Structures are given as structure tokens and as C-alpha cells.
Amino acid sequence: MTNGNLYDANVCISCRERLEALPETISLTAGEFELLNRPQRAYSFAIPVRMDDGSVKVFNAYRVQYNNALGPTKGGIRYHQDVDFEEVKTLAFLMALKTSLAGIPFGGAKGGIQVDPRELSEGELERLTRGFVRAAHTFIGPRIDIPAPDVNTNSQTMAWIVDEYANISGAYEPGIVTGKPLELGGSLGRGEATSLGGAYVLDQYIKDSGLQRNELTIAVQGFGNVGRNIARILSGWGYTIVAVSDISGARYDEGGLEVETICSEKEGGCILKEAKSDAKHLSNEELLALDIDVLIPAALADQITEKNASRVKAKVILEMANAPVSKEADAILARQGTVIIPDILANAGGVIASYFEWAQNAGNEYWKLDEVNKKLREKILGAYTRVQERTLHNGYDLRTASYEVAVERILKAEKLRGNL
Ligand code: NAD
């Protein structure tokens, strides 16, 4: 293999495209661009798992540590049949920008295992998770790289990681992961922090725009942990949630949904299509095209693309999912005058609370819920203010301003370390 091929093997195409799309005013030097357009470390693992029927299956797993100039790398690990290396690199890149923008002492990482978790028993999932820790344990650690839950992983997954890591190292180190159960060193407030952070940012934006909470209508796509909690919080603050959706479809009431009732049904295991609510049934595509003030994509990536962007009528999009708006859709929405509050700002509440959890583990002292939420508000609104100042000063949209603030902090750290 030539050096050229080796170089290509680690490049993240979509990260490079995202950097290339930045305006010339941000002007990265060639060295800065080279340093940011690919991950520092990208691991791929093959994990053998003994299945319940005695056979062995081997699963592909990835961990990408994109940039650690600001501290140990931090990012979730997802279990999904469509996970691929390029996607994990892109998500790790977004994490590096997110931690930088949030002003926390972490770099960015992401991990994924190519598996459909619905096809594995609880015992098989546990063995897969422990297998991942055995494969990756020399590359992760509380001062190296700290995983967390992501799509289809949860506090139980993190508990298995804590236990397997302790089995290998011989010492109990809860700071190896965040998003743990409280009994194993988790933090109060971590479960709702992503949604609460997004709600703080949206609420501040609404205030700054001179609008009133009770005048605004909101639709939420995705009714999992993030979507359900943000619907609940915003409804409690006086916003009108007119529509919500999950994979089965959407429910809509132009006068406002009874959010608490729908949440309870969903938490009882009901899919939205079958919820008892009188609200109208809509398709997911119809939800995205509703004539509303705020659209909150909180499901998966690439939900708003060049195919449906021109039908979006919402004036503001709060990106709670990672990368829910494609690059092509971004340009269409900009022409329509839609304001996008970008993922690296809108959903940073989760990683901020993860930092609090890690800090509590390191200090072995645990905080009350109102203390966690107060600190979360300060941190995320600090990031929001830095972005807004840049927007006003340079005339950028919020995504460009967020990228600029985030990239600058990473590059400053790289210069101080002597790497640039
Ligand atoms: P989750 O698995 O709990 O929920 C996802 C929801 O999306 C489910 O209700 C599912 O039915 C729904 N869904 C899937 N495809 C859909 C579609 N096409 N249309 C409508 N709904 C659809 O996941 P989550 O933890 O709520 O995370 C949601 C998103 O937020 C993900 O993109 C995740 O990466 C991002 N995120 C989560 C956190 C966190 O702390 N959980 C932090 C940052 C970002």
C-alpha cells in the first residue's frame, strides 16, 4: 500500500466537506485544515460473541477519537445495523466541535457496533458489550477516552462496561463511562439533560427574538428519550406542542396535544399510532411539512434532505438529533429564511451533564439535581451567547458561527501544545 492510500484510509469525507463549506472568512491554514479533516485515532475491532444457541457470531465495532487537544475524548457508543466507519468518524468530528463549543475540558469521540440489538437476547448483548471492553480497554479510560450511551445503548450497557473494565484493570473506576445508573456513580439530571439543554437554548432564542412562549406552535419528530423529554419540558413552560411522531407515525392537534398523557402512554410501551389520544393521525412526512413556528427533529440523521426541505414551513429548526438536516437541505432552508439552531449547540446538554458526572466521579462527591440543572443552564447559555455574538459580529448563520467558535478553541489548544 502506498502512503497515499494509508492517508486516504483515515480521511473523513463528510468532515472534510463540512470544513470546506465554511466561509473563507474563517480561513484555515493548510496545516489547520489537514489536522482537522481526519481523526487522530480510528480503531476497528472484530468482536466474537457466543450466542445463546452455542454458535459464534463476529460483530464489527468502531471507536474514533477525533481530537484530544482539549482533554480526554468523549462520545457515545451506538448499537445499530447501519453503523459504518465513515458515519462514526463524522459523529466523532461533531462531538469534537460540540465539546469545544460547550467550553468543557474534553475532546470528541464516537463508537458504534454494527448490530441490530432487537435480534440479540439480553445475555448476548451483555457478552457483546463485555467483548467490546476487552477489545478496546487499552484505548479507553477516564483520562483517555470516555464512552456514553447513544442510539440503542443505555445505563445498563454502561453498567456492564464499568464492571468489565474493573474486571480487567482490577480497580473500580466509574469515570470510565458516563450515563451510568445512580448506584454506580451516575449523575442526577443526566437522563433529561440533552432535552433540558435544548429547551434552555430555544427559550433564550425566543426571548431574544421578542416572541412570547404562548404564541408559538411546535412539532417534535422522534418520541424517544430526547423527543419526549423536550416536549414535556416545553409544554410545561407554556409552549404549545401541536404534533409529535415516532417511527410508527405522528399525532396532531392544532390546539395543542395533551403531552403528559401521550408521554405516559408511550412510556407504558404504546406506539404513537396506537395511542388513545383523539389527536389526528399524520404521516412523518406530513409532520415535517406542518405550518408551525418551531420544528424539533429528535430522531435520526438526514431526516430533512433536498427531497423535503422546500416543504418545511417552520420558521425555526432546533436540531436535537445529530445531523438531522443534510448539507443540501441546509442551503435550501437558508434561502427560505429558516433559522437553524445547530446540533452541536442544541443537543450539547447531554455531553455537558456527562462532564458533570465525570467530575463528580473524580471528586467522589455528588450534586443535587437543582445544582446540576443550574450549572447546565450556565454552560449551555454561555455557548449560546458566544455563538450569538459571533453571528451578530460576522453576519453568519448560527451553524457557521458555532463551527467557528468551536474550531478556534481546538486550534488554540493545538497551537499551545506545539502541534501547529
Ligand atoms: P431514542 O432511540 O430514545 O429515540 C428515537 C426516537 O425516534 C424513537 O421514538 C423512534 O421511534 C423515533 N424515530 C425513528 N425514526 C423515525 C422517523 N423516521 N420518524 C419519526 N420518528 C422516528 O433516541 P434518543 O436518545 O432520544 O436520541 C434521539 C437523537 O438525539 C439521536 O439522533 C441521538 O444521536 C441524538 N442525541 C441524543 C442524546 C442523548 O442524550 N440521548 C444526546 C445528543 C444527541
Side-chain angles (χ1 to χ4, degrees):
M1 191 183 263
T2 66
N3 279 343
N5 284 341
L6 279 174
Y7 168 85
D8 285 342
N10 216 16
V11 153
C12 169
I13 296 158
S14 111
C15 310
R16 188 172 57 200
E17 285 174 359
R18 281 160 200 263
L19 289 172
E20 280 169 353
L22 294 176
E24 276 174 14
T25 36
I26 292 182
S27 73
L28 298 174
T29 66
E32 290 167 346
F33 186 83
E34 285 296 294
L35 195 129
L36 291 178
N37 84 4
R38 69 191 115 163
Q40 283 172 338
R41 300 181 193 132
Y43 303 101
S44 104
F45 309 99
I47 303 176
V49 176
R50 176 80 57 197
M51 308 302 281
D52 291 345
D53 65 4
S55 66
V56 171
K57 272 196 183 161
V58 181
F59 295 90
N60 292 325
Y62 307 103
R63 185 75 189 166
V64 174
Q65 298 164 354
Y66 204 89
N67 185 285
N68 68 1
L70 292 165
T73 50
K74 184 86 196 78
I77 173 160
R78 62 176 54 185
Y79 291 180
H80 198 278
Q81 57 279 16
D82 299 333
V83 160
D84 68 56
F85 216 177
E86 171 73 12
E87 180 200 30
V88 177
K89 287 177 189 174
T90 306
L91 292 168
F93 168 78
L94 292 177
M95 279 306 298
L97 297 184
K98 199 180 296 182
T99 52
S100 173
L101 179 61
I104 56 180
F106 285 146
K110 202 76 173 189
I113 302 185
Q114 213 175 60
V115 58
D116 182 349
R118 291 167 304 184
E119 292 179 355
L120 269 61
S121 69
E122 179 90 348
E124 289 165 344
L125 279 175
E126 179 177 346
R127 293 196 288 282
L128 174 63
T129 304
R130 290 183 186 276
F132 171 75
V133 179
R134 286 195 298 277
H137 79 276
T138 48
F139 311 117
I140 61 174
R143 300 202 168 269
I144 304 169
D145 178 30
I146 307 141
D150 196 71
V151 175
N152 294 329
T153 52
N154 53 30
S155 57
Q156 176 60 73
T157 324
M158 299 305 113
W160 291 326
I161 295 180
V162 167
D163 187 65
E164 191 63 24
Y165 191 76
N167 290 342
I168 296 167
S169 71
Y172 177 57
E173 292 200 64
I176 175 62
V177 282
T178 57
K180 298 178 290 290
L182 290 180
E183 295 77 4
L184 294 179
S187 173
L188 291 170
R190 170 66 183 81
E192 300 79 36
T194 305
S195 308
L196 184 59
Y200 284 142
V201 168
L202 178 67
D203 198 48
Q204 192 61 46
Y205 177 81
I206 296 302
K207 266 189 215 144
D208 292 350
S209 307
L211 300 165
Q212 299 297 322
R213 289 171 170 178
N214 60 6
E215 292 169 350
L216 300 174
T217 52
I218 298 180
V220 182
Q221 184 211 33
F223 213 48
N225 178 37
V226 175
R228 230 172 34 245
N229 280 319
I230 198 162
R232 197 176 243 150
I233 294 164
L234 291 173
S235 157
W237 290 356
Y239 289 92
T240 307
I241 310 295
V242 293
V244 296
S245 67
D246 66 10
I247 188 97
S248 73
R251 302 303 287 266
Y252 171 63
D253 184 335
E254 63 182 339
L257 294 166
E258 284 185 26
V259 172
E260 214 32 78
T261 314
I262 296 199
C263 284
S264 313
E265 276 201 71
K266 181 80 188 170
E267 281 155 13
C270 175
I271 54 171
L272 284 178
K273 203 170 150 191
E274 288 166 5
K276 287 198 204 81
S277 166
D278 292 332
K280 268 196 250 173
H281 288 266
L282 293 182
S283 69
N284 269 309
E285 275 305 313
E286 287 171 317
L287 175 137
L288 296 177
L290 284 173
D291 192 0
I292 45 168
D293 296 297
V294 183
L295 174 63
I296 304 185
L300 296 171
D302 286 330
Q303 295 301 300
I304 303 168
T305 64
E306 74 268 35
K307 292 199 187 106
N308 57 8
S310 58
R311 292 201 289 277
V312 171
K313 296 188 199 69
K315 296 165 199 75
V316 178
I317 295 178
L318 180 75
E319 290 188 329
M320 293 307 291
N322 289 313
V325 175
S326 75
K327 193 164 53 86
E328 295 76 16
D330 223 27
I332 298 169
L333 291 164
R335 284 198 294 278
Q336 287 175 200
T338 315
V339 171
I340 301 181
I341 304 180
D343 46 10
I344 63 167
L345 174 62
N347 71 28
V351 77
I352 292 171
S354 276
Y355 161 52
F356 296 157
E357 182 176 330
W358 176 84
Q360 291 170 77
N361 296 151
N364 218 359
E365 193 183 311
Y366 289 84
W367 310 345
K368 293 193 176 117
L369 179 61
D370 55 358
E371 195 179 345
V372 172
N373 289 347
K374 185 167 163 272
K375 286 182 198 270
L376 170 63
R377 187 170 186 280
E378 275 169 20
K379 273 273 174 224
I380 204 158
L381 290 187
Y384 169 83
T385 305
R386 288 192 283 283
V387 170
Q388 276 294 26
E389 281 169 3
R390 200 61 67 98
T391 306
L392 295 175
H393 190 260
N394 291 354
Y396 294 152
D397 57 67
L398 292 170
R399 194 187 308 281
T400 306
S402 300
Y403 270 51
E404 184 176 78
V405 174
V407 162
E408 260 177 25
R409 186 162 171 256
I410 296 172
L411 293 178
K412 265 189 201 152
E414 290 286 15
K415 279 182 194 140
L416 288 165
R417 283 166 172 258
N419 294 331
L420 278 173

